[in-house]
Amino acid sequence: MQAIEISAPGGPDALVPTYRAVPTPGPCDVLIKVAGAGVNRPDVLQRMGLYPPPPGASDIPGLEVAGTIVEAGVHVTRWQPGDDVCALLTGGGYAEYAVAHEGSCLPIPRGLSLIEAAGLPETFFTVWANAFEDGALKTGETLLVHGGTSGIGVTAILTAKARGAAVVATAGTDAKLDAIRELGADAAFNYASDEWDAEIQRLGGVDVVLDMTGGDFVARNLACLRPGGRHVSIAFLRGDAAEVSVMTIMRKRLRLSGSTMKGRTAAEKARIARALEDEIWPLLSNGKIRPRVDQVIPLREARKAHELMESGAHVGKIVLATGQV
């Protein structure tokens, strides 16, 4: 099969087309003929040598795919060859075939193409687990998300609005602020020039922060939180160290948490998948949430996909297609 491997840690040119043996599914796995693979920030970090795959995972990048099951392991009970699914992976998505644990697979929401579905698992697993489970975002509350035009940002805005929450989001250009508002954000601020934290406090603050920035933004995020607020860290684009006021945390009874998705157990991912199927997939099937795909790029040109992601010029997901684009 055609696949993309990382020749050595480095820039986008480190992504090299190659040929690999088709992987063999284990007893609880399915083998998927991939139609599309979503591109995510952890893929970029893996390419740079900063986020290695878990032990036993494929060294091929790619954490989500959609396609058709062609083989099922002997202990697989729900899926069978011929089923169309999207799936969260521990790696191996940038290829024509990929292996997924049966519990990390989800049906394709009604009305979506395989290419659209390829960009669902990583961001929806992440947003659900962090904003709605750890962050306990509820109807009537307000969410703050930075990088509102990223895959995570778009998913967070669409999902929070569909479930009755208000959203405040940030981005770095006027065009992106317009895009955030079009997605449904109630307020949008330029994190590069606006005093966004002061503006958000004047609006009354927020209940949950889904933070991908880290660094100096953490203290500013905490200042925006209302009493009883929750701050959930999922990345640290501005650095993994932050100086915060413990008094602020105590006075406002704040809760701080954080997580990654790649290293979670198969059982934990399966539990999240079932929650998504119950709570979010109906909203995708009835059109209340409509995923945003920015560009579809041929698998062999994965380098271009990473260049686009690092430029920050995209709004929504970037998807690699194994077929003709």
Side-chain angles (χ1 to χ4, degrees):
M1 67 176 185
Q2 187 179 47
I4 301 295
E5 66 182 10
I6 300 170
S7 59
D13 288 342
L15 297 175
V16 179
T18 188
Y19 284 91
R20 295 279 189 95
V22 174
T24 301
C28 297
D29 299 330
V30 296
L31 178 65
I32 300 170
K33 181 175 175 56
V34 175
V39 177
N40 295 281
R41 183 67 59 175
D43 304 342
V44 173
L45 296 177
Q46 180 181 343
R47 190 205 72 219
M48 297 169 67
L50 302 176
Y51 194 21
S58 172
D59 65 315
I60 296 171
L63 298 175
E64 60 182 351
V65 298
T68 304
I69 293 174
V70 294
E71 185 178 346
V74 294
H75 296 321
V76 173
T77 58
R78 177 174 181 182
W79 310 106
Q80 58 188 359
D83 288 342
D84 287 340
V85 296
C86 56
L88 186 73
L89 313 177
T90 56
Y94 290 15
E96 292 180 309
Y97 292 87
V99 167
H101 189 279
E102 68 164 332
S104 295
C105 295
L106 284 154
I108 306 299
R110 186 175 64 251
L112 296 190
S113 68
L114 289 175
I115 293 298
E116 289 174 311
L120 296 179
E122 173 67 14
T123 56
F124 277 91
F125 271 74
T126 299
V127 169
W128 178 262
N130 289 281
F132 293 95
E133 291 189 342
D134 292 354
L137 181 67
K138 302 177 182 65
T139 298
E141 291 189 325
T142 301
L143 172 71
L144 167 60
V145 59
H146 294 293
T149 56
S150 67
I152 291 288
V154 169
T155 297
I157 292 169
L158 294 175
T159 307
K161 292 298 295 183
R163 290 177 62 86
V167 179
V168 177
T170 69
T173 68
D174 289 343
K176 288 190 172 186
L177 295 179
D178 289 340
I180 288 171
R181 295 185 187 99
E182 289 173 7
L183 289 167
D186 299 275
F189 299 101
N190 189 321
Y191 59 73
S193 59
D194 291 345
E195 294 182 355
W196 54 267
D197 46 343
E199 293 292 338
I200 292 170
Q201 291 175 70
R202 278 192 283 271
L203 290 175
V206 301
D207 301 285
V208 178
V209 177
L210 183 63
D211 184 54
M212 297 177 277
T213 60
D216 59 316
F217 273 26
V218 175
R220 300 173 72 181
N221 291 339
L222 299 188
C224 295
L225 281 169
R226 297 166 178 157
R230 289 83 71 194
H231 185 283
V232 188
S233 298
I234 59 171
F236 42 88
L237 298 176
R238 297 177 71 89
D240 65 351
E243 183 174 335
V244 301
S245 166
V246 176
M247 178 58 76
T248 297
I249 297 171
M250 295 167 59
R251 179 173 54 82
K252 296 204 287 186
R253 308 183 310 281
L254 304 180
R255 283 184 283 147
L256 282 65
S257 65
S259 72
T260 63
M261 187 58 63
K262 186 186 278 192
R264 296 192 187 216
T265 66
E268 175 68 1
K269 292 175 183 176
R271 184 195 63 74
I272 296 170
R274 301 292 74 79
L276 285 171
E277 188 170 3
D278 290 342
E279 301 290 339
I280 301 300
W281 255 230
L283 301 177
L284 287 160
S285 292
N286 68 19
K288 193 168 184 180
I289 298 175
R290 187 71 186 182
R292 177 80 174 261
V293 175
D294 185 271
Q295 284 197 38
V296 181
I297 296 173
L299 175 65
R300 64 184 178 278
E301 298 176 15
R303 171 185 58 82
K304 293 183 179 178
H306 277 223
E307 289 172 348
L308 175 59
M309 171 155 281
E310 292 188 86
S311 76
H314 59 295
V315 177
K317 293 299 299 238
I318 304 165
V319 176
L320 297 174
T322 58
Q324 186 173 359
V325 176

